[in-house]
Amino acid sequence: MTRRAVPIVAALLVMQATLVVGTEQFVITPAGKDHADLPASIEYAQQLEAVDDDSNSTVGSRHLVESEDAKSSDTAPRTDSTALSESQAAPPPDVVLDIRTLYSLQDAAAAGHVEAGTLQQAMLQQIDRKLAAGLPEGEQNVLVQNIVGFVLSGGNPSVADHLAERDNLSALQRKLLRGASLYMRGKREEASGLLAKVNALLLRPSIAGRVALVQAVLETGDGERRQALLAVAIASMPGSLVEESALRRSALFYAMKGNQHMFWKRANRYLRRFPHSIYAKPFLQDVMNSILKLGNEKAVPEGIQIDIFLIQIPQSMRRSFYLNLARQAALRNLVDLTRFASRRSLRLSVPGSQEAQVAGLYGLIFEVTSAGPVDDDQGLRNLNPELLPPLERRILEAGLKVVDAIRRPVAVSSTGTSLLDSGEEDLGLKKTAELSLAGADRSIEESSR
């Protein structure tokens, strides 16, 4: 691939993407303080969320952030270079254009273009080679902004270290450069010390979202502050990989805290915004794990919430989700969730198909151990073992053994006393049931490893 081939292919991908963030020439406005007014930031982040919360439009949130940017720019010291209009400013260095192409590739990945991931690695290597020859000259604010974004996008952190050594940087620019480098080197505590008090809302959107996302990842204390920072990332860069990542993290943080209302709100918004993202399938698995975790905590989500979430994906994926959920819920002995998921999967399956057989099995398996006589054992016998995968076949065999043991007449001793009543257990009923169910449990556990 030639040196200019990557930007050309990337441009074609961006033209195809359904959601693309523009590549305006944003600058970091120098400031003489740390911008530590965090309560105001949280309140404003909530306003940003209210604008774009239930809409697919990206105009409102971007307008608000840019309006706030304009206000902050008026109060911050301005140099001659930042006062220039875009038409008067010198063209950005070639490497800066490559960095913006890198951003576009990331956004293309969020829009579902798998090949963008490979091209992104090629672009990172190309930028590294150019920067290894020396940092370019040019408008410093533009350079700082793009180097910070490049490093936070997986670039070489030493580039930020070299740029931070220049004498004519503002305190804010130096913090951003060094904080980004430390974060990418895994020194999170030191990075947090530099970035925690930076008010991302006073930065331009192209970098505000990236900085806010990193701040949220570094946040270890107040959950409200973490969610406020994620809200800034979501609102600052609509349609970008930053928004996609922030939505995923926000949803899972809410699930971790047991806030089901906000968990489903964020999860639903993610699927509306990024249904084709290359990270969408792993997110669906994360949602399933969150549902199971809530079930273990005796807070099983309502079925209607799961239905509303899954209606946004293709039927084949819904069927697979419900079927896997039934299997994992059975492993955790979540009876109601197993029955719910198996019924939904059965409804979406072709009658007589393998999926229908598996769903029917999980819908009936807990009936074997329910109190009272086994009235629905015929349902198990109607299943075709030849259509079942090996795991489910073993579970069916174990279930049928239990049913047969329950159905078998109780042996009576010569004195007319039931062997069970006399304490004898060599009749085999209890032992057979325990061994069969234990074998089924082992089969399910093996499948989940």
Side-chain angles (χ1 to χ4, degrees):
M1 183 176 291
T2 63
R3 196 176 76 169
R4 298 307 302 171
V6 171
I8 293 173
V9 177
L12 292 175
L13 283 175
V14 175
M15 291 175 65
Q16 297 174 23
T18 56
L19 294 169
V20 179
V21 177
T23 55
E24 300 93 332
Q25 181 176 333
F26 295 124
V27 297
I28 300 173
T29 304
K33 57 180 182 179
D34 290 341
H35 308 303
D37 188 11
L38 295 178
S41 300
I42 292 175
E43 180 181 355
Y44 190 73
Q46 292 169 345
Q47 295 175 13
L48 295 178
E49 275 295 280
V51 171
D52 198 34
D53 185 52
D54 295 316
S55 171
N56 287 335
S57 171
T58 63
V59 176
S61 55
R62 178 176 287 277
H63 172 72
L64 278 178
V65 176
E66 290 183 343
S67 297
E68 180 68 13
D69 242 0
K71 294 178 184 178
S72 63
S73 300
D74 292 339
T75 59
R78 296 179 63 83
T79 64
D80 291 339
S81 59
T82 59
L84 292 174
S85 66
E86 290 189 6
S87 60
Q88 295 172 309
D94 185 52
V95 71
V96 171
L97 296 178
D98 285 348
I99 292 173
R100 292 175 180 174
T101 301
L102 174 65
Y103 298 159
S104 297
L105 285 171
Q106 293 177 333
D107 299 343
H113 295 278
V114 179
E115 61 272 29
T118 303
L119 292 173
Q120 179 180 331
Q121 294 303 315
M123 179 57 72
L124 281 169
Q125 295 172 6
Q126 178 172 305
I127 296 170
D128 273 336
R129 287 194 298 269
K130 289 185 177 181
L131 292 175
L135 289 171
E137 297 298 327
E139 209 288 309
Q140 184 163 271
N141 285 321
V142 174
L143 183 60
V144 169
Q145 164 208 312
N146 283 279
I147 292 300
V148 170
F150 165 68
V151 172
L152 294 180
S153 298
N156 188 347
S158 63
V159 176
D161 293 333
H162 293 153
L163 183 56
E165 294 174 358
R166 291 188 175 180
D167 296 331
N168 56 344
L169 296 177
S170 70
L172 176 60
Q173 291 170 336
R174 208 178 303 277
K175 280 186 176 183
L176 290 170
L177 289 165
R178 289 177 174 168
S181 174
L182 290 169
Y183 175 76
M184 295 305 294
R185 293 180 189 278
K187 300 179 180 180
R188 297 199 167 192
E189 186 173 347
E190 298 174 53
S192 180
L194 289 172
L195 297 176
K197 293 184 179 181
V198 173
N199 189 341
L201 283 170
L202 298 182
L203 305 175
R204 291 289 183 177
S206 61
I207 191 173
R210 288 180 169 83
V211 172
L213 181 59
V214 169
Q215 288 175 318
V217 172
L218 294 174
E219 182 62 39
T220 58
D222 182 20
E224 180 182 353
R225 185 176 187 275
R226 174 187 287 142
Q227 290 292 356
L229 290 167
L230 289 172
V232 172
I234 291 167
S236 298
M237 303 187 65
S240 70
L241 184 62
V242 171
E243 183 198 6
E244 192 267 0
S245 178
L247 280 173
R248 279 189 286 119
R249 291 177 181 276
S250 180
L252 298 178
F253 278 138
Y254 277 126
M256 190 185 305
K257 294 293 185 180
N259 188 338
Q260 291 200 41
H261 172 71
M262 290 303 300
F263 164 62
W264 289 116
K265 190 174 183 179
R266 279 285 192 262
N268 282 314
R269 181 173 177 179
Y270 177 90
L271 279 190
R272 290 198 308 270
R273 301 282 286 157
F274 302 99
H276 306 296
S277 170
I278 64 175
Y279 306 106
K281 286 186 178 180
F283 178 68
L284 288 175
Q285 182 61 52
D286 290 335
V287 170
M288 182 185 297
N289 293 338
S290 297
I291 293 172
L292 294 167
K293 180 177 181 295
L294 290 169
N296 289 333
E297 297 171 354
K298 309 301 181 184
V300 179
E302 295 182 8
I304 187 64
Q305 294 285 6
I306 302 175
D307 290 339
I308 291 173
F309 173 71
L310 293 179
I311 198 65
Q312 303 173 82
I313 63 177
Q315 178 174 314
S316 60
M317 294 180 65
R318 291 206 304 276
R319 182 175 61 244
S320 177
F321 187 99
Y322 283 126
L323 203 55
N324 287 326
L325 180 60
R327 173 181 287 176
Q328 296 301 321
L331 169 64
R332 293 161 175 78
N333 202 34
L334 301 174
V335 180
D336 291 339
L337 186 57
T338 302
R339 289 171 175 163
F340 162 79
S342 64
R343 286 196 302 269
R344 290 295 189 269
S345 181
L346 186 60
R347 183 184 301 174
L348 295 170
S349 301
V350 176
S353 65
Q354 184 183 67
E355 291 88 349
Q357 296 286 308
V358 174
L361 171 65
Y362 285 113
L364 293 168
I365 194 64
F366 281 108
E367 301 299 331
V368 174
T369 56
S370 62
V374 181
D375 296 325
D376 297 328
D377 62 303
Q378 192 59 42
L380 287 176
R381 300 186 190 281
N382 289 338
L383 297 175
N384 186 352
E386 299 300 323
L387 289 178
L388 294 174
L391 165 66
E392 280 72 25
R393 193 179 305 148
R394 293 196 297 270
I395 294 175
L396 176 61
E397 292 170 356
L400 288 174
K401 286 182 180 179
V402 174
V403 170
D404 290 340
I406 294 174
R407 288 296 191 190
R408 187 180 305 132
V410 178
V412 179
S413 68
S414 59
T415 62
T417 305
S418 167
L419 293 179
L420 288 179
D421 292 339
S422 63
E424 297 289 341
E425 294 186 351
D426 54 339
L427 175 67
L429 171 60
K430 181 177 179 181
K431 185 175 181 181
T432 300
E434 288 179 346
L435 290 176
S436 298
L437 293 176
D441 287 342
R442 284 196 300 272
S443 297
I444 298 176
E445 289 174 359
E446 290 171 1
S447 72
S448 63
R449 291 173 184 171

